[in-house]
């Protein structure tokens, strides 16, 4: 812990001297110094002249200055926010510990007086992987009664999902049930989380500072400036990056279109590690924007306010707001601009509303429930800010200085009588040319990283575009000369048209950078074969790798693939390890706790 003028009785010169000296002391020296100071203090007290005793002033309850911040994060957003909050609190004199929930010992919870939770919700209301154990403990019988315990929760989520911010809500409710009191109310953040997160930090600081002198209470201005960005370019200040290459990886006749993008980071100062993601702010399809303007009979050149700037309505709908996803909050707000009885009935029935918004967009809403009684400014004020799209980086910065590569599958499908397109993926597939620019930022993800020891074997499971981070892994291992064994399970529809980066994988296999490759192409035979089937076929060797300390990485579809692969791993451990189902599940849970089982799923 660093001494500061604010949290000690020393002046600036003394704190600097002590901060240089104390870390250099051995344990023996520290003990001797403690005894020496105690003896000096005792002698001083004995030699001091007697003074008239006065009644001690009434004790004022002090608020503990120690704060623990726990984060549960899948993609890194909650982790980054937790670290920023920690820096802000440290600058205000608090002693802060920031930790992943998976690294925190649950039995230490009773020792904590001030706890801040920053947690995202994953999938259909589930905790992220590194929050599973702590979430289970808190909601189990072993959870302690929490006395003299204060907490606050910052919840991250996506309002287009039914169980919006559910994990944060779970923690908030349970900590209260266990006896805790709130430092500040829970705040639920949608995809645009920067401002509400800053408000939460301000509220937490205010709550923690109650009872302290007014000179120590933080001002709103100091809070907003407390957490400087690590780089000039960030989520809130993206870099306009030039596209160098945009190639279709699939062969002629494929049912898929997978784009390989090479993007320049030159001049940005941005760097990344294998396992990180690139955030991209896309623009809406111009045809869809024109369709919305026509349906609402709006003038494209009408000026509107978007935060602190004035832009044309067309630009606002193109670059600033999400128009391809309906959420429950959006429909409820829109109903205030409509006298349509059917819409009000729909909003009052949560089951019917959930069914309606599935697969529909803003065009459907404005068409289905005319007329609308609002100005363009009023209507866009209820729209959600255009969220960034995160893509797993498929290149190594060491192998490709000042470049970043992406592997993006084009999303096209029909729903409710109309063709639907992915906002960012179709921008990349149909409208983005070399020389164009994209607003981008780096999203660091500490929960999907290569082992620190380069000799550690790794097993990678990444069908389809899930191959992206493993291309990054291999480039990095090749560049560094790592000796650890590597094994890839890859799958897609057809070998001839859909084997992404085939020549690269075959070269790595030939050169020994990749030790073993198993592929599964589901549409090439009479029966569909997936990556989990290849894992089962190699169950004995796979378990042997696990016993040797191999780390397992899963990337791709969460609902089906990741779920099936997870269960297959338990099957293999149960069978080859001679364990019960419960023991096998615990084996895999221990791997996850020790960062030997990591997932980047979506």
């Amino acid at each position: 812990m660093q001494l500061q003028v604010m949290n000690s009785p020393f002046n600036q010169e003394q704190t600097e001297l002590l901060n240089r000296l104390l870390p250099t002391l051995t344990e023996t020296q520290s003990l001797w110094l403690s005894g020496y100071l105690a003896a000096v203090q005792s002698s001083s007290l004995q030699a001091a002249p007697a003074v008239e005793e006065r009644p001690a002033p009434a004790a004022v309850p002090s608020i503990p200055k120690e704060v623990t911040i726990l984060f549960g994060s899948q993609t890194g957003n909650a982790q980054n926010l937790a670290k920023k909050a920690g820096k802000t609190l440290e600058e205000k004199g608090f002693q802060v510990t920031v930790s992943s929930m998976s690294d925190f010992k649950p039995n230490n919870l009773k020792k904590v007086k001030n706890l801040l939770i920053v947690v995202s919700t994953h999938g259909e209301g589930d905790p992220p992987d590194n929050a599973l154990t702590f979430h289970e403990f808190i909601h189990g019988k072993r959870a302690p009664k929490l006395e003299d315990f204060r907490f606050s929760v910052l919840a991250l989520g996506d309002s287009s999902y039914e169980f919006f911010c559910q994990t944060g809500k779970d923690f908030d409710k349970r900590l209260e049930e266990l006896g805790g009191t709130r430092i500040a109310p829970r705040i639920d953040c949608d995809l645009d989380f920067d401002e509400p997160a800053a408000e939460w930090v301000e509220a937490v600081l205010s709550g923690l500072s109650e009872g302290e002198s007014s000179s120590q209470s933080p001002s709103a201005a100091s809070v907003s400036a407390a957490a400087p960005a690590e780089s000039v370019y960030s989520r809130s200040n993206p870099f306009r990056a030039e596209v160098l290459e945009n190639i279709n990886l699939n062969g002629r006749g494929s049912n898929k279109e997978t784009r390989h993008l090479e993007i320049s980071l030159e001049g940005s100062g941005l760097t990344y590690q294998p396992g990180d993601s690139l955030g991209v702010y896309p623009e809406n399809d111009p045809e869809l924007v024109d369709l919305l303007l026509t349906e609402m009979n709006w003038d494209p050149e009408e000026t509107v306010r978007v935060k602190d700037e004035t832009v044309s309505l067309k630009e606002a709908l193109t670059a600033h707001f999400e128009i391809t996803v309906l959420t429950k909050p959006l429909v409820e707000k829109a109903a205030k601009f409509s006298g349509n009885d059917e819409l009000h009935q729909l909003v009052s029935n949560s089951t019917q509303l959930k069914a309606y918004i599935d697969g529909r967009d803003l065009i459907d809403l404005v068409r289905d429930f005319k007329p609308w009684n609002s100005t363009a400014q009023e209507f866009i004020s209820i729209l959600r800010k255009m969220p960034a799209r995160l893509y797993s980086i498929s290149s190594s910065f060491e192998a490709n200085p000042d470049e970043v590569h992406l592997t993006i599958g084009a999303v096209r499908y029909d729903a409710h009588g109309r063709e639907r397109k992915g906002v960012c993926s179709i921008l990349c597939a149909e409208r983005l040319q070399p020389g164009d620019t994209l607003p981008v930022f780096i999203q660091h993800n500490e929960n999907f990283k290569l082992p620190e020891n380069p000799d550690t074997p790794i097993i990678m499971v990444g069908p389809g575009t899930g191959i992206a981070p493993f291309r990054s892994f291999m480039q990095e291992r090749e560049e560094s000369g790592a000796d650890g064994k590597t094994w890839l399970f890859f799958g897609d529809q057809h070998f001839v048209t859909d084997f992404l980066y085939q020549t690269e994988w075959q070269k790595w296999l030939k050169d020994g950078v990749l030790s073993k490759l198993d592929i599964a192409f589901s549409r090439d035979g009479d029966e569909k074969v997936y990556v989990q089937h290849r894992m089962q076929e190699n169950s004995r060797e796979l378990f042997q790798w696990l016993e040797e300390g191999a780390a397992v990485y899963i990337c791709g579809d969460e609902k089906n693939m990741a779920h099936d692969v997870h269960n297959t791993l338990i099957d293999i451990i149960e069978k080859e390890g001679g364990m019960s189902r419960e023991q096998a599940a615990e084996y895999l849970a221990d791997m996850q706790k020790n960062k030997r089982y990591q997932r980047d799923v979506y």
Side-chain angles (χ1 to χ4, degrees):
M1 181 189 73
Q2 287 281 308
L3 289 173
Q4 298 178 19
V5 175
M6 290 185 296
N7 67 2
S8 71
F10 304 109
N11 62 34
Q12 185 65 40
E13 182 180 359
Q14 290 171 326
T15 57
E16 290 176 358
L17 288 170
L18 287 169
N19 283 330
R20 286 199 297 269
L21 172 66
L22 294 177
T24 67
L25 299 180
T26 65
E27 183 177 356
T28 301
Q29 290 171 329
S30 297
L31 290 173
W32 186 91
L33 184 60
S34 298
Y36 174 77
L37 292 174
V40 171
Q41 184 180 23
S42 176
S43 299
S44 299
L45 289 173
Q46 291 173 8
V51 296
E52 180 184 352
E53 289 191 9
R54 297 180 181 178
V60 178
S62 62
I63 294 178
K65 299 284 285 185
E66 296 83 9
V67 179
T68 298
I69 304 178
L70 298 181
F71 61 83
S73 181
Q74 196 74 31
T75 64
N77 286 331
Q79 181 172 0
N80 293 336
L81 289 173
K83 289 181 176 179
K84 287 182 180 180
K87 288 180 181 178
T88 302
L89 292 174
E90 284 180 344
E91 290 171 359
K92 293 299 176 183
F94 291 94
Q95 301 167 22
V96 184
T97 301
V98 181
S99 171
S100 166
M101 291 181 183
S102 60
D103 295 334
F104 180 76
K105 293 181 180 179
N107 290 335
N108 287 339
L109 186 60
K110 288 199 72 171
K111 302 176 183 178
V112 175
K113 296 302 180 185
N114 295 310
L115 176 66
L116 304 180
I117 295 278
V118 185
V119 66
S120 61
T121 293
H122 196 56
E124 297 298 323
D126 301 320
D129 288 348
N130 64 358
L132 286 168
T133 302
F134 186 65
H135 186 272
E136 182 179 343
F137 172 82
I138 282 289
H139 289 83
K141 295 180 180 179
R142 295 178 60 198
K145 291 296 181 183
L146 301 174
E147 300 175 356
D148 191 25
F149 173 89
R150 305 200 309 156
F151 71 95
S152 187
V153 176
L154 180 68
L156 275 61
D158 181 344
S159 61
S160 65
Y161 285 85
E162 180 181 2
F163 300 102
F164 174 58
C165 289
Q166 188 60 50
T167 303
K169 294 174 182 176
D170 290 344
F171 276 118
D172 186 62
K173 179 182 178 183
R174 183 58 174 159
L175 290 173
E176 182 183 39
E177 291 173 350
L178 293 173
T181 57
R182 290 179 181 83
I183 299 169
R186 184 190 79 244
I187 288 185
D188 298 336
C189 301
D190 207 343
L191 299 179
D192 185 17
F193 52 72
D194 290 317
E195 289 186 10
E199 292 173 4
W200 177 75
V201 172
E202 184 175 348
V204 165
L205 274 168
S206 178
L208 287 171
S209 300
E210 288 176 2
E212 297 184 357
S213 64
S214 58
S215 63
Q216 291 182 318
S217 62
S219 65
S222 65
V223 172
S224 62
E230 294 180 4
S231 172
V232 175
Y233 297 103
S234 63
R235 173 185 288 269
S236 58
N237 181 34
F239 174 67
R240 295 292 311 196
E242 181 182 354
V243 177
L244 303 174
E245 294 283 353
N246 187 350
I247 303 166
N248 183 6
L249 293 175
N250 297 97
R252 184 176 300 174
S254 174
N255 296 322
K256 296 186 173 185
E257 181 179 356
T258 309
R259 310 303 300 192
H260 170 78
L261 267 64
E262 297 183 3
I263 299 170
S264 173
L265 296 178
E266 187 174 358
S268 69
L270 293 171
T271 62
Y272 58 88
Q273 294 179 335
D276 289 342
S277 297
L278 188 76
V280 180
Y281 283 105
E283 291 187 351
N284 287 310
D285 188 333
E287 292 184 7
L288 202 61
V289 172
D290 290 342
L291 193 58
L292 180 59
L293 290 167
T294 300
E295 287 292 334
M296 296 297 285
N297 196 28
W298 283 335
D299 176 6
E301 300 306 316
E302 177 184 345
T303 57
V304 291
R305 295 286 294 175
V306 178
K307 286 197 173 179
D308 297 326
E309 60 178 322
T310 301
V311 299
S312 71
L313 179 57
K314 184 169 185 175
E315 182 182 344
L317 293 173
T318 299
H320 293 275
F321 295 108
E322 181 179 65
I323 63 174
T324 58
V325 175
L326 287 184
T327 66
K328 181 180 178 182
L330 173 59
V331 178
E332 290 173 340
K333 292 174 184 175
K336 298 176 182 178
F337 299 140
S338 173
N340 190 304
D341 291 338
E342 290 185 25
L343 178 56
H344 289 278
Q345 291 174 5
L346 179 67
V347 168
S348 65
N349 188 314
S350 59
T351 302
Q352 291 181 4
L353 179 57
K354 179 184 176 183
Y356 176 80
I357 64 178
D358 184 28
R360 287 187 169 89
D361 62 15
L362 193 59
I363 299 293
D364 296 307
L365 181 70
V366 300
R367 279 179 170 175
D368 292 343
F369 300 106
K370 292 180 177 180
W372 297 95
N373 304 312
S374 72
T375 64
Q377 181 71 66
E378 290 171 335
F379 200 93
I380 67 167
S381 69
I382 68 172
L383 300 181
R384 192 162 66 167
K385 179 184 174 182
M386 175 71 80
R389 271 58 173 180
L390 293 178
Y391 294 102
S392 300
I393 293 173
S394 55
S395 58
S396 159
F397 191 81
E398 293 299 319
N400 305 272
D402 283 336
E403 285 187 18
V404 61
H405 300 174
L406 299 181
T407 309
I408 301 176
V411 177
R412 300 182 181 91
Y413 60 96
D414 291 322
H416 308 291
R418 280 178 50 216
E419 182 185 12
R420 315 284 168 156
K421 299 178 179 181
V423 177
C424 195
S425 67
I426 299 305
L427 165 65
C428 295
E430 297 181 357
R431 307 193 302 278
L432 194 66
Q433 301 296 325
D436 293 342
T437 61
L438 285 173
V440 304
F441 61 92
I442 298 296
Q443 176 76 33
H444 297 293
N445 185 2
E446 298 302 323
N447 304 311
F448 201 76
K449 284 286 172 280
L450 280 166
E452 292 184 7
N453 184 351
D455 294 332
T456 301
I458 61 172
I459 299 170
M460 303 165 286
V461 184
T465 56
I467 198 71
F470 304 135
R471 181 175 183 263
S472 173
F473 281 15
M474 288 298 94
Q475 288 187 355
E476 186 81 1
R477 303 268 285 204
E478 181 179 37
E479 196 72 17
S480 65
D483 293 327
K485 297 188 296 184
T486 55
W487 189 351
L488 173 70
F489 290 91
F490 173 75
D492 215 312
Q493 291 188 353
H494 299 285
F495 176 88
V496 173
T497 59
D498 304 322
F499 194 165
L500 306 182
Y501 305 111
Q502 178 182 355
T503 57
E504 293 183 27
W505 290 111
Q506 290 176 333
K507 183 179 184 301
W508 282 323
L509 193 62
K510 178 182 177 182
D511 294 345
V513 180
L514 181 67
S515 309
K516 190 173 175 62
L517 172 66
D518 281 280
I519 51 179
F521 292 95
S522 60
R523 305 299 194 274
D524 281 347
D526 294 333
E527 295 184 7
K528 293 182 178 180
V529 179
Y530 298 108
V531 287
Q532 62 266 26
H533 299 130
R534 298 298 185 219
M535 294 170 66
Q536 287 280 15
E537 293 168 3
N538 292 272
S539 64
R540 180 175 297 178
E541 185 176 1
L542 197 153
F543 182 70
Q544 182 180 341
W545 279 47
L546 298 185
E547 289 288 272
E548 293 171 359
V552 179
Y553 298 88
I554 315 295
C555 183
D557 167 60
E558 181 195 24
K559 288 186 178 179
N560 298 306
M561 183 278 297
H563 182 266
D564 292 339
V565 168
H566 181 87
N567 287 332
T568 297
L569 283 170
I570 295 177
D571 291 340
I572 290 171
I573 296 166
E574 179 183 7
K575 172 187 172 185
E576 303 298 342
M579 305 180 194
S580 67
R581 189 73 178 176
E582 292 75 16
Q583 289 172 327
E586 185 62 30
Y587 184 105
L588 192 58
D590 285 342
M591 284 183 58
Q592 192 166 36
K593 185 176 180 180
N594 294 318
K595 297 181 171 58
R596 288 181 50 217
Y597 177 42
Q598 299 182 30
R599 308 194 310 161
D600 180 9
V601 294
Y602 38 85

